Amino acid sequence: MSKITKQQFNQIIENELPWATDTGMRLQSIESGEAVMTLPYHRRSVRPGGSISGPHMMMLADACMYAVVLSMTGKVKLSVTSSFNINFLRKPSESDLRAEGKIIKMGKRLAVMEVSIFSQEEIVAHATGTYSIPPDRSL
Amino acid sequence: MSKITKQQFNQIIENELPWATDTGMRLQSIESGEAVMTLPYHRRSVRPGGSISGPHMMMLADACMYAVVLSMTGKVKLSVTSSFNINFLRKPSESDLRAEGKIIKMGKRLAVMEVSIFSQEEIVAHATGTYSIPPDRSL
Amino acid sequence: MSKITKQQFNQIIENELPWATDTGMRLQSIESGEAVMTLPYHRRSVRPGGSISGPHMMMLADACMYAVVLSMTGKVKLSVTSSFNINFLRKPSESDLRAEGKIIKMGKRLAVMEVSIFSQEEIVAHATGTYSIPPDRSL
Amino acid sequence: MSKITKQQFNQIIENELPWATDTGMRLQSIESGEAVMTLPYHRRSVRPGGSISGPHMMMLADACMYAVVLSMTGKVKLSVTSSFNINFLRKPSESDLRAEGKIIKMGKRLAVMEVSIFSQEEIVAHATGTYSIPPDRSL
């Protein structure tokens, strides 16, 4: 069972990452070690050509990884990305994006995750990342 | 010599990537295969803890890579990131970031670049990325 | 259905990559877009501390990706790795390794794959990689 | 000044990584935070097509990173690769490879490095990697 609810995560995003909230990004579902987030299509997020930009896909993938971490640790304020790798697979269509994240390994100090991003059921990007988990997890 | 001027690149950002312009991101200098960009410190770009967020550093690095590509190809509309890898090295201080990008290899179809990001003269992140270059470069 | 059999792949390894054969690496099963390879524990492959070395895990993951590509294209002589990324998750035990590879996206020019490596049922490394596929696939 | 000599490093490789020694890999020079290693061209290391294989380039890059770490820490037995990323840039010619490694950031717990690999003065691959440094560095 996730140690954080969908509502709690969306509240964290809203309070602490206002620039992410501005994109319309939302957590849709969360289980222990799994999270689904969406990013609505918006003119403000596009690159030349009309599809959602690479940096917005990276932002979505990173937020989805953060949700996966919190699903397993509960609310940890200063867990931070330590590395991030992404392959862009095809141009998304001009529609919303859906990110599916899952844990690869949850360690005491490091969490490793992967995220697949879909545009209308087709995979458009795949990311892996590591989060560093602070030794003292209490807030 | 760069095939694009600083002014031209900043104009592209302003016209085509309004969300990047909103962050205050600016190209500072450009040579063939080298570019320097800055991202001013702003409350809207931070993560919990007060330093500039990971996704903003990724956005800065990606834009800097784009400048490096354009310095060598001239204005190419649909050159796109195909992969991106970043290591976050330390927490930036609450100050502006400076990204220094340079070409590793410029091929016919693929450009490979690296970007170092500095906060007050200390390196805080290092990224490598590849850009796919369309066969027909004319606009 | 895989476009190549287990026997054909092991034959390719034996004929063309003798240094891989020397490690004892073998394909165990192959389906379209999926492959399982094993690397037996051997003193010649270890690092200080007694577990199988990082480079041997990278070699295993790369070979497993190659099997995944060939399962979808049939025998393509000059398909080559264009990028490779790996996270080492924990020290393997002093035992055989098992790599499970699967396709993330098969494109006309680029294949993207991931491989998880296990030591006694525990994941010890996770890799993603891209293979460049030559335009003319015939031999 | 390097905390380890060229001779000491080549001795470590010979004693502890016999499979690396078998490839003919040698450290050529070492300074604090910088190392140059070579891998002689040999039929046993090639891939179909006749050039040195990807896994051999990864092995060379990883060993070069290890030299860079030891140049700054002195002999640390259990420093291990925690992540590794490589872009293959062009097919090497049928000749020796030369790897030039340098430190990006040396932290207390993590070292980040990059390595460029050259074949006859042309860059053929570029890697970045992180090494985890054990808290107690003494042997």
Side-chain angles (χ1 to χ4, degrees):
Chain A
M1 214 187 79
S2 175
K3 291 196 176 167
I4 195 167
T5 65
K6 184 169 81 166
Q7 288 72 22
Q8 285 172 319
F9 186 80
N10 283 326
Q11 197 63 53
I12 291 172
I13 295 287
E14 205 168 311
N15 293 347
E16 297 180 355
L17 305 172
W19 45 269
T21 309
D22 287 350
T23 65
M25 200 181 283
R26 300 288 289 173
L27 184 66
Q28 296 301 334
S29 69
I30 190 160
E31 301 289 330
S32 180
E34 286 187 27
V36 176
M37 285 195 81
T38 49
L39 176 67
Y41 181 77
H42 196 288
R43 290 206 155 275
R44 273 185 330 225
S45 314
V46 303
R47 68 179 305 284
S51 58
I52 289 183
S53 81
H56 282 87
M57 287 193 262
M58 296 197 276
M59 190 188 294
L60 175 64
D62 185 61
C64 190
M65 288 178 190
Y66 190 40
V68 171
V69 172
L70 297 198
S71 80
M72 301 191 77
T73 61
K75 202 188 161 193
V76 177
K77 211 174 187 168
L78 290 172
S79 196
V80 294
T81 314
S82 62
S83 70
F84 182 90
N85 184 66
I86 189 164
N87 284 296
F88 296 98
L89 306 175
R90 64 163 69 77
K91 195 183 171 231
S93 56
E94 298 182 16
S95 58
D96 301 351
L97 295 181
R98 172 186 173 89
E100 300 183 1
K102 66 173 196 223
I103 196 77
I104 290 174
K105 189 212 161 195
M106 186 73 209
K108 255 174 288 187
R109 298 291 305 273
L110 199 74
V112 184
M113 284 136 309
E114 68 178 315
V115 174
S116 298
I117 301 182
F118 299 88
S119 168
Q120 296 191 320
E121 308 308 315
E122 279 204 318
I123 190 165
V124 294
H126 181 267
T128 51
T130 59
Y131 262 70
S132 177
I133 305 194
D136 176 15
R137 296 180 183 187
S138 58
L139 281 185
Chain B
M1 212 187 82
S2 174
K3 292 197 176 166
I4 195 168
T5 65
K6 184 170 80 167
Q7 289 71 22
Q8 286 172 317
F9 185 80
N10 283 326
Q11 198 62 53
I12 291 172
I13 295 287
E14 207 169 309
N15 293 347
E16 297 179 355
L17 305 173
W19 46 268
T21 309
D22 288 350
T23 63
M25 199 181 283
R26 299 289 289 173
L27 185 67
Q28 296 300 334
S29 68
I30 190 160
E31 301 288 332
S32 180
E34 285 187 29
V36 176
M37 286 195 80
T38 48
L39 176 67
Y41 181 77
H42 195 287
R43 291 204 155 278
R44 274 185 329 223
S45 315
V46 304
R47 67 179 306 286
S51 59
I52 288 182
S53 82
H56 281 87
M57 288 194 261
M58 296 197 274
M59 192 188 295
L60 175 64
D62 184 62
C64 190
M65 288 179 190
Y66 189 41
V68 171
V69 173
L70 296 198
S71 80
M72 301 190 79
T73 61
K75 202 188 163 193
V76 176
K77 211 174 188 169
L78 291 170
S79 197
V80 294
T81 315
S82 63
S83 70
F84 182 90
N85 184 67
I86 189 164
N87 285 296
F88 295 98
L89 306 173
R90 63 163 70 78
K91 195 181 174 233
S93 56
E94 298 182 16
S95 59
D96 301 351
L97 295 181
R98 172 186 173 87
E100 300 182 1
K102 68 173 193 223
I103 195 78
I104 290 174
K105 188 212 161 196
M106 186 72 209
K108 256 173 288 186
R109 299 291 305 272
L110 200 73
V112 184
M113 286 137 304
E114 68 179 316
V115 174
S116 298
I117 301 182
F118 299 88
S119 169
Q120 296 190 321
E121 308 307 315
E122 280 204 315
I123 190 165
V124 293
H126 180 268
T128 51
T130 59
Y131 262 71
S132 177
I133 304 194
D136 176 16
R137 296 180 181 187
S138 59
L139 281 185
Chain C
M1 213 186 81
S2 174
K3 292 197 176 166
I4 196 168
T5 65
K6 183 168 82 166
Q7 289 72 22
Q8 286 173 318
F9 185 81
N10 283 326
Q11 198 62 51
I12 291 172
I13 295 287
E14 207 168 310
N15 293 348
E16 298 180 354
L17 305 172
W19 45 268
T21 309
D22 287 351
T23 63
M25 197 181 286
R26 299 288 290 173
L27 185 65
Q28 297 300 333
S29 68
I30 190 160
E31 302 288 332
S32 179
E34 286 187 27
V36 175
M37 286 195 80
T38 49
L39 177 67
Y41 181 78
H42 195 287
R43 290 205 154 278
R44 273 186 330 225
S45 315
V46 303
R47 67 177 308 284
S51 58
I52 289 182
S53 81
H56 282 86
M57 288 193 261
M58 296 197 275
M59 191 188 295
L60 175 63
D62 185 61
C64 191
M65 287 179 192
Y66 190 40
V68 171
V69 172
L70 297 199
S71 80
M72 301 190 77
T73 61
K75 202 187 162 192
V76 176
K77 212 173 186 169
L78 290 171
S79 196
V80 294
T81 314
S82 63
S83 70
F84 182 90
N85 184 67
I86 190 165
N87 284 296
F88 296 99
L89 305 174
R90 63 163 70 77
K91 194 181 174 235
S93 56
E94 299 182 16
S95 58
D96 301 351
L97 295 182
R98 171 185 174 90
E100 300 182 0
K102 66 172 193 223
I103 195 77
I104 290 174
K105 190 211 159 195
M106 186 73 209
K108 256 173 288 186
R109 299 292 304 272
L110 199 75
V112 183
M113 285 136 307
E114 68 179 315
V115 174
S116 298
I117 301 181
F118 299 88
S119 168
Q120 295 190 320
E121 307 308 315
E122 280 204 316
I123 191 165
V124 294
H126 180 268
T128 51
T130 59
Y131 262 70
S132 177
I133 305 194
D136 176 16
R137 295 178 181 187
S138 59
L139 281 184
Chain D
M1 213 186 82
S2 175
K3 291 196 175 166
I4 195 167
T5 66
K6 183 168 81 166
Q7 289 71 23
Q8 287 172 317
F9 185 80
N10 283 325
Q11 198 62 54
I12 291 172
I13 295 287
E14 205 168 311
N15 293 347
E16 297 180 356
L17 305 173
W19 45 269
T21 309
D22 287 350
T23 64
M25 198 182 284
R26 299 288 290 173
L27 185 65
Q28 296 301 334
S29 69
I30 191 160
E31 301 288 331
S32 180
E34 285 187 27
V36 176
M37 285 194 81
T38 49
L39 177 67
Y41 181 77
H42 195 287
R43 290 205 155 276
R44 273 186 328 226
S45 315
V46 303
R47 67 179 306 285
S51 58
I52 289 182
S53 81
H56 282 87
M57 288 194 260
M58 297 197 274
M59 191 188 294
L60 175 63
D62 185 62
C64 191
M65 288 179 191
Y66 190 41
V68 171
V69 172
L70 297 198
S71 80
M72 302 190 77
T73 61
K75 202 188 162 195
V76 176
K77 213 177 189 166
L78 291 171
S79 196
V80 295
T81 315
S82 62
S83 70
F84 182 89
N85 184 66
I86 189 164
N87 285 297
F88 296 98
L89 305 174
R90 64 164 68 78
K91 194 183 172 230
S93 56
E94 298 183 15
S95 58
D96 301 352
L97 295 182
R98 172 185 173 88
E100 300 182 1
K102 66 174 194 221
I103 195 78
I104 291 174
K105 188 212 161 196
M106 187 72 208
K108 256 173 287 186
R109 299 291 305 273
L110 199 74
V112 183
M113 286 137 306
E114 68 179 315
V115 174
S116 298
I117 301 181
F118 299 88
S119 168
Q120 295 190 321
E121 307 308 315
E122 279 204 317
I123 190 165
V124 293
H126 181 268
T128 51
T130 59
Y131 262 70
S132 176
I133 305 193
D136 176 16
R137 295 181 182 186
S138 60
L139 282 184

